[in-house]
Amino acid sequence: MSSIHCDFIRASVKDIDSIISLRIALLKELGEIKSSKEEQLVVSSTKEYLQQALSNNEFISYIAMCNGETVGVSGVVIIKRPPYLENLNGIEAYILNMYTIPQHRGRGISRKLLELCIDECKDMGVRRVWLHSSENGKHLYQKVGFTPKNNEMELFI
């Protein structure tokens, strides 16, 4: 395989179209979008959400750029909930939107995106990180330390 250089950057409002493009690809791959009408609804709603959530750090995203093309994306929603024994500050993070386009899979892009998200969570004082995984993603999440719990996976950091 030829050497392809990838940069990993924290997404900002200017990256919304790239985030949405890969989110749509993910949802289509999972069979959650079945028509162009559904796609249009998700695109417009997601754009509105991201414009606000990226600006106020409720949603954090990293993107992988390889030779000028966005090939991978990640997302983290920061949640403040009432404290409990394992998480006395109540700050949690939900990871979603993890996606690498098929021709770039198997090169560690998703792992790097996930690690950047976890590092960001640590910096913010997040205690619990959780997610729902596709079958394809379970192996990666377990390698990083997530453990299955009911229909979710979680990692306490």
Side-chain angles (χ1 to χ4, degrees), residues 1-9 63-72 104 107-109 112:
M1 182 183 284
S2 63
S3 176
I4 296 176
H5 176 73
C6 295
D7 293 309
F8 296 85
I9 60 169
I63 56 177
M65 301 284 298
C66 301
N67 292 350
E69 176 188 9
T70 303
V71 301
H104 287 274
R107 298 181 41 229
I109 291 171
K112 177 68 175 173

Side-chain angles (χ1 to χ4, degrees), residues 35-124:
S35 70
S36 60
K37 182 177 182 177
E38 289 178 350
E39 181 176 337
Q40 290 170 353
L41 289 169
V42 171
V43 167
S44 62
S45 297
T46 303
K47 187 173 282 200
E48 187 177 310
Y49 167 78
L50 288 175
Q51 285 170 337
Q52 179 179 337
L54 280 170
S55 298
N56 64 19
N57 284 331
E58 288 175 20
F59 183 83
I60 297 160
S61 179
Y62 283 88
I63 56 177
M65 301 284 298
C66 301
N67 292 350
E69 176 188 9
T70 303
V71 301
V73 69
S74 63
V76 179
V77 175
I78 304 302
I79 302 160
K80 179 77 169 152
R81 61 173 282 181
Y84 53 99
L85 282 178
E86 293 87 3
N87 187 2
L88 291 174
N89 72 8
I91 302 172
E92 296 188 352
Y94 180 68
I95 292 183
L96 70 162
N97 227 50
M98 291 291 302
Y99 185 75
T100 301
I101 60 175
Q103 58 268 39
H104 287 274
R105 292 180 185 164
R107 298 181 41 229
I109 291 171
S110 286
R111 184 181 182 115
K112 177 68 175 173
L113 290 167
L114 180 60
E115 289 170 348
L116 288 166
C117 290
I118 292 169
D119 288 346
E120 183 91 26
C121 289
K122 288 177 183 176
D123 291 346
M124 295 179 75

